[in-house]
Amino acid sequence: MYGHLALASSVLLAVLTQHANAVDKTRDPSLDTNLATAATQLDRLALLGNDDAWLFDFTAQEPNYNFAPGGVVNMNAATFPAAKGNGMTMAMLNLGPCSMLPPHYHPRASNYVVAIHGNTTTYMYEENGARLVTETLTPGMATIFPQASMHMMVNNGCENAQLVSALNSDDAGTQNIGNVFSNGFPAELVNAAFGQDLASSDVASKMTPVGTGSNWGLSECLKQCGIQANGTYIRF
């Protein structure tokens, strides 16, 4: 019973007070365009003419690389031009103590996730009529979120959790479920769809500003770990 209540509470918290996953900004639009239109692979290699063009440092991607509450760092066509046309995104998922990735889905990619540090519970719901799939990931364990499936992740402990994610698109996209309350849909229609008053015309102004992909989770966990939701910046 407690597990179901905790899940319901965490979903409600995520939907109503979530940080929207930050949108990746294209680092070098002209280079991406040239890579996309290059006639041969040798032409592509000429455009990526120095070794630095082939190296991506996840830990240097601030503010997304953090553990308070955490963040998602994507190595994809937008952030790393060498990835353009290779059909894959690699992501590092950092979850500080008690933090979570709110419910979301990737419209253009399946998502393989493996745990590196910590203890993380994942929840996945693929479509209407499907069952909820719940997994606990400890180091070396992995799961899959099929393309466009709704999923979320929660750090269960008082230590940092870190996971690595592989998506089979260099432009996977991310859609947070809570965006339905702030994306411009008429509030009265959203409320009618949910059968209760969850949205208002000014809900966008009340939402937490766009963050780095992660937000604090259950207040009970934060209290148990002695953490306030303004924790210091932590690194491994």
Side-chain angles (χ1 to χ4, degrees):
M1 174 65 72
Y2 176 79
H4 291 297
L5 290 174
L7 174 59
S9 299
S10 62
V11 170
L12 184 60
L13 175 67
V15 167
L16 296 181
T17 64
Q18 69 177 313
H19 290 243
N21 281 30
V23 176
D24 290 323
K25 302 298 183 183
T26 302
R27 182 164 299 173
D28 192 334
S30 62
L31 178 56
D32 272 355
T33 298
N34 290 334
L35 288 168
T37 58
T40 69
Q41 183 63 18
L42 288 177
D43 292 336
R44 284 174 50 86
L45 291 172
L47 292 168
L48 301 167
N50 61 72
D51 289 350
D52 288 344
W54 295 89
L55 184 67
F56 185 85
D57 185 353
F58 282 94
T59 66
Q61 310 306 310
E62 297 180 1
N64 287 51
Y65 191 91
N66 78 87
F67 290 91
V72 177
V73 178
N74 290 318
M75 184 180 76
N76 57 20
T79 63
F80 187 51
K84 180 69 176 177
N86 284 291
M88 185 174 180
T89 293
M90 288 291 291
M92 188 165 287
L93 316 178
N94 293 342
L95 295 173
C98 305
S99 70
M100 63 188 294
L101 297 187
H104 65 280
Y105 65 91
H106 305 290
R108 295 181 291 277
S110 297
N111 188 4
Y112 291 58
V113 178
V114 59
I116 306 301
H117 297 284
N119 183 304
T120 303
T121 297
T122 68
Y123 303 91
M124 187 272 288
Y125 189 80
E126 192 163 2
E127 61 179 296
N128 292 344
R131 70 177 181 87
L132 178 68
V133 177
T134 304
E135 303 293 349
T136 298
L137 302 184
T138 53
M141 303 185 74
T143 191
I144 300 174
F145 305 126
Q147 181 174 344
S149 62
M150 188 190 315
H151 55 278
M152 61 185 291
M153 308 178 209
V154 182
N155 180 354
N156 300 305
C158 298
E159 299 181 354
N160 293 334
Q162 190 171 59
L163 307 97
V164 171
S165 171
L167 302 99
N168 62 333
S169 169
D170 56 19
D171 182 25
T174 298
Q175 175 68 277
N176 281 21
I177 305 305
N179 287 341
V180 70
F181 297 108
S182 61
N183 64 1
F185 284 178
E188 62 273 18
L189 296 181
V190 173
N191 289 333
F194 282 92
Q196 54 187 308
D197 291 335
L198 295 175
S200 64
S201 58
D202 63 343
V203 67
S205 65
K206 298 177 181 178
M207 294 287 285
T208 304
V210 172
T212 56
S214 175
N215 56 259
W216 298 110
L218 295 174
S219 57
E220 293 90 339
C221 180
L222 292 169
K223 183 177 180 180
Q224 180 180 351
C225 295
I227 297 172
Q228 295 183 344
N230 60 354
T232 56
Y233 194 84
I234 306 168
R235 286 184 181 275
F236 283 116

